[in-house]
């Protein structure tokens, strides 16, 4: 067996590159045939095991020996094996890799892969992904910004977002520039070194001409600032869509609990359905933290900063499946906050998250989360955008406060009780797939595509040729 493998490697190593003069085709054919003749005695399954052991780089070289070897090593199952066992694969799991390469590889608008796209070559995908340059990812959240390199396992830095993206008045350019310069400085990278994928909080929710103009003005300002900083290519997508991609979906309803408001966003094939309607609740993470602070003060629990209250919210609070029943339970729990010692909370733990369903407990005059999502679903059902209503029955939660334990189960329960069976059947609520970093991971899927950056990014030249940037958010 060793002799046979040595023959193959000698054939591969002696084969010259495509740009240099090679030996005669008859000589190469003779050498290849000799190797194949020897390997004809080896069972195919054993041969595939050998190829797996030598690894992807050497397997790719084997495809240059002859047509028969090319056919053998281009087998999709072989390269799926290599991809699944790739130590440095950027995606957190195989399902995310498969989703991105089958649904997102051709860019926006998304194309129905399984019915129209050609058969994928995973050997080609492997080779293309080795050449992908990677990108800077900036998730410009309404409260906190996460940034990092697409090849990293998670964001490398976080900071409070000091830019209100919804404001499109005259200072916007200078504020945007200050924001991006600060992020690049913290990452210690040159803007010109790689593309950027930018996640933006959804804003200007309506489908009116005024809202469209405001969104276009904001996006054009973002592109102009980044291209003036010599960024080679830019991809800007709203947080809701990226959160949906992170959950391996292209259609559904995204509930994004932002810093000040909660938005309920219907998305069909990657496009925000503003004509259906984006519901907005005037209640977000800041209000949840503020309400917990009030409850702690009422119970004479002292603390030094709002940061401590937010830490307690993130580590002790949850959403009760049945609020009234929870009131009669012993729910006491403790947590040690850095620099301030131990804190013990009881009913405050679930009363905080309850205001998402009963906002009046916090003095907020707005509909509950379940009512807002049910209203959005009712609008989607009435719009009859597709023959199948299944597209809006997947609800994906996004945002740091959406990570409260029990929230997804409670919301699903409330929706089933609020909507008629014809609409509620099949509803599934998915917790944030990657916690507070869900949108960042959605951007990571795009950044590491084998076809990145061309299908998703815009270059400076394209921006100048198309002054009205096509809106994807």
């Amino acid at each position: 067996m060793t002799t046979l493998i040595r023959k193959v490697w000698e054939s591969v190593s002696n084969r010259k590159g495509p740009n240099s003069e090679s030996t005669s085709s008859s000589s190469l054919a003779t050498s290849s045939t000799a190797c194949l003749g020897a390997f004809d005695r080896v069972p195919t399954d054993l041969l595939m095991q050998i190829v797996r052991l030598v690894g992807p780089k050497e397997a790719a070289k084997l495809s240059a020996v002859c047509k028969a070897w090319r056919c053998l090593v281009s087998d999709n199952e072989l390269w799926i094996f290599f991809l699944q066992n790739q130590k440095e694969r950027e995606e957190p799991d195989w399902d995310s890799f498969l989703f991105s390469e089958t649904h997102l590889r051709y860019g926006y608008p998304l194309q129905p892969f399984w019915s129209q796209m050609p058969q994928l070559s995973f050997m080609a995908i492997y080779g293309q992904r080795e050449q992908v340059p990677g990108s800077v990812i900036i998730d410009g959240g309404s409260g906190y910004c996460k940034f990092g390199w697409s090849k990293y396992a998670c964001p490398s830095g976080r900071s409070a977002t000091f830019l209100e993206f919804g404001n499109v008045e005259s200072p916007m350019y200078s504020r945007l520039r200050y924001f991006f310069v600060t992020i690049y400085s913290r990452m210690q990278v040159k803007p010109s070194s790689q593309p950027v994928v930018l996640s933006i909080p959804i804003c200007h929710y309506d489908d009116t001409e005024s809202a469209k103009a405001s969104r276009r003005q904001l996006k054009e300002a973002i592109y102009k600032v980044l291209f003036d900083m010599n960024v080679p290519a830019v991809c800007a997508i709203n947080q809701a869509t990226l959160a949906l991609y992170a959950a391996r979906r292209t259609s559904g309803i995204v509930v994004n609990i932002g810093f000040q408001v909660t938005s309920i966003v219907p998305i069909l094939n990657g496009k925000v359905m503003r004509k259906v309607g984006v519901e907005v609740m005037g209640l977000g993470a800041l209000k949840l933290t503020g309400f917990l602070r009030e409850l702690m003060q009422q119970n004479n629990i002292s603390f030094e900063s709002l940061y401590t209250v937010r830490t307690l919210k993130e580590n002790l609070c949850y959403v009760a499946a049945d609020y009234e029943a929870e009131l009669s339970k012993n729910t006491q729990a403790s947590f040690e906050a850095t620099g301030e010692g131990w804190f013990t909370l009881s009913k405050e733990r679930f009363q905080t998250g309850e205001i998402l369903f009963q906002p009046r407990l916090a003095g907020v005059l707005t509909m509950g989360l379940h009512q807002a999502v049910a209203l959005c679903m009712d609008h989607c059902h009435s719009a009859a955008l597709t023959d199948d209503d299944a597209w809006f029955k997947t609800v994906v939660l996004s945002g740091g406060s959406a990570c409260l334990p029990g929230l997804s189960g409670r919301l699903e329960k409330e929706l089933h009780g609020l909507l008629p069976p014809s609409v509620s059947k099949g509803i599934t609520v998915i917790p944030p797939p990657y916690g507070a970093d869900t949108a960042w991971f959605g951007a990571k899927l795009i950044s590491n595509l084998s076809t990145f950056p061309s299908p998703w990014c815009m270059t400076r030249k394209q921006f100048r040729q198309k002054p009205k940037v096509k809106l994807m958010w």
Side-chain angles (χ1 to χ4, degrees):
M1 185 64 69
T2 304
T3 304
L4 295 178
I5 295 176
R6 188 182 297 116
K7 286 183 180 181
V8 176
W9 294 138
E10 289 174 356
S11 175
V12 172
S13 60
N14 291 333
R15 182 179 174 86
K16 297 184 179 180
N19 296 325
S20 62
E21 291 185 3
S22 60
T23 58
S24 66
S25 58
S26 59
S27 173
L28 181 61
T30 303
S31 173
S32 299
T33 304
C35 288
L36 284 175
F39 271 101
D40 278 343
R41 297 192 296 271
V42 181
T44 304
D45 57 343
L46 180 58
L47 201 55
M48 290 300 288
Q49 290 297 325
I50 295 173
V51 176
R52 286 185 178 192
L53 289 173
V54 301
K57 291 184 179 179
E58 286 71 19
K61 292 177 182 178
L62 278 173
S63 65
V65 175
C66 67
K67 185 177 180 181
W69 270 108
R70 189 181 309 119
C71 180
L72 178 71
V73 301
S74 62
D75 180 70
N76 267 345
E77 289 188 11
L78 173 67
W79 291 92
I80 287 174
F81 170 82
F82 287 144
L83 287 163
Q84 287 178 326
N85 291 276
Q86 190 178 22
K87 292 182 179 180
E88 298 180 356
R89 194 179 71 238
E90 289 77 17
E91 282 72 20
D93 57 73
W94 172 252
D95 289 339
S96 295
F97 167 87
L98 197 60
F99 166 80
S100 63
E101 288 293 351
T102 54
H103 291 81
L104 307 180
R105 63 184 283 108
Y106 296 102
Y108 185 87
L110 304 184
Q111 302 180 44
F113 170 80
W114 298 114
S115 60
Q116 295 185 20
M117 294 298 103
Q119 178 68 29
L120 282 182
S121 166
F122 285 93
M123 180 179 177
I125 288 175
Y126 190 102
Q128 290 167 351
R129 288 173 75 92
E130 288 291 304
Q131 305 301 318
V132 171
S135 70
V136 168
I137 300 176
I138 303 175
D139 176 14
S142 55
Y144 293 88
C145 174
K146 282 81 69 176
F147 50 87
W149 179 245
S150 63
K151 302 293 182 179
Y152 291 170
C154 60
S156 57
R158 307 166 196 274
S159 65
T161 300
F162 38 88
L163 173 69
E164 185 179 319
F165 280 103
N167 185 354
V168 291
E169 296 178 358
S170 55
M172 176 55 71
Y173 181 92
S174 58
R175 295 173 70 198
L176 279 168
R177 187 176 180 86
Y178 178 70
F179 174 77
F180 289 122
V181 167
T182 302
I183 296 300
Y184 275 102
S185 175
R186 290 180 180 178
M187 289 187 66
Q188 297 183 336
V189 297
K190 293 181 179 180
S192 59
S193 60
Q194 61 275 310
V196 61
V197 178
L198 180 66
S199 161
I200 309 172
I202 193 165
C203 58
H204 306 293
Y205 306 93
D206 300 334
D207 192 47
T208 62
E209 290 302 317
S210 174
K212 289 180 182 178
S214 296
R215 290 195 297 270
R216 183 177 294 111
Q217 182 182 354
L218 172 59
K219 194 165 187 181
E220 288 179 357
I222 290 171
Y223 275 95
K224 188 175 191 313
V225 168
L226 290 170
F227 286 135
D228 286 349
M229 292 172 61
N230 295 318
V231 174
V234 181
C235 172
I237 309 180
N238 72 75
Q239 281 183 334
T241 302
L242 291 175
L244 194 65
Y245 293 163
R248 302 193 297 272
R249 303 289 192 282
T250 57
S251 298
I253 292 176
V254 176
V255 175
N256 184 65
I257 302 180
F259 190 61
Q260 293 183 322
V261 301
T262 295
S263 54
I264 294 88
V265 188
I267 300 173
L268 179 61
N269 295 326
K271 180 177 175 60
V272 175
M273 295 288 101
R274 284 190 169 83
K275 291 183 178 180
V276 172
V278 175
E279 304 297 332
V280 182
M281 291 173 56
L283 190 156
L286 185 62
K287 188 64 180 178
L288 288 168
T289 304
F291 186 59
L292 177 57
R293 176 184 60 186
E294 293 174 14
L295 293 174
M296 291 174 65
Q297 289 171 338
Q298 290 172 12
N299 294 312
N300 298 316
I301 302 174
S302 59
F303 52 88
E304 293 184 5
S305 68
L306 195 61
Y307 175 79
T308 300
V309 179
R310 183 169 73 89
T311 301
L312 294 174
K313 179 191 73 173
E314 293 172 350
N315 290 278
L316 288 179
C317 290
Y318 65 96
V319 175
D322 186 325
Y323 179 68
E324 296 300 328
E326 205 75 8
L327 288 170
S328 61
K329 297 179 181 179
N330 179 10
T331 57
Q332 194 173 87
S334 300
F335 180 79
E336 184 178 14
T338 305
E340 290 203 48
W342 287 89
F343 288 84
T344 300
L345 301 181
S346 183
K347 290 181 173 57
E348 304 93 346
R349 296 179 63 207
F350 62 88
Q351 288 173 329
T352 300
E354 187 62 25
I355 68 173
L356 289 169
F357 297 91
Q358 299 187 61
R360 289 178 182 271
L361 292 175
V364 180
L365 302 179
T366 186
M367 70 179 81
L369 179 62
H370 58 305
Q371 295 166 328
V373 176
L375 182 61
C376 182
M377 285 187 167
D378 185 59
H379 290 162
C380 292
H381 178 71
S382 301
L385 299 176
T386 65
D387 295 333
D388 186 4
D389 280 348
W391 73 270
F392 62 79
K393 293 186 179 182
T394 296
V395 179
V396 177
L397 303 182
S398 175
S401 292
C403 298
L404 287 174
L407 177 57
S408 59
R410 171 70 178 279
L411 179 56
E412 188 171 317
K413 173 188 171 184
E414 296 287 351
L415 290 173
H416 280 284
L418 196 60
L419 292 164
S422 59
V423 179
S424 64
K425 184 179 180 181
I427 288 177
T428 302
V429 180
I430 301 175
Y434 301 99
D437 301 333
T438 293
W440 193 91
F441 273 91
K444 180 180 167 75
L445 289 184
I446 291 175
S447 299
N448 292 320
L449 281 168
S450 60
T451 54
F452 187 83
S454 57
W456 286 96
C457 290
M458 179 172 286
T459 63
R460 179 188 298 181
K461 182 178 180 181
Q462 291 171 326
F463 177 70
R464 288 175 175 174
Q465 292 174 347
K466 298 175 66 175
K468 289 188 176 182
V469 182
K470 188 173 183 178
L471 295 171
M472 286 195 291
W473 49 284

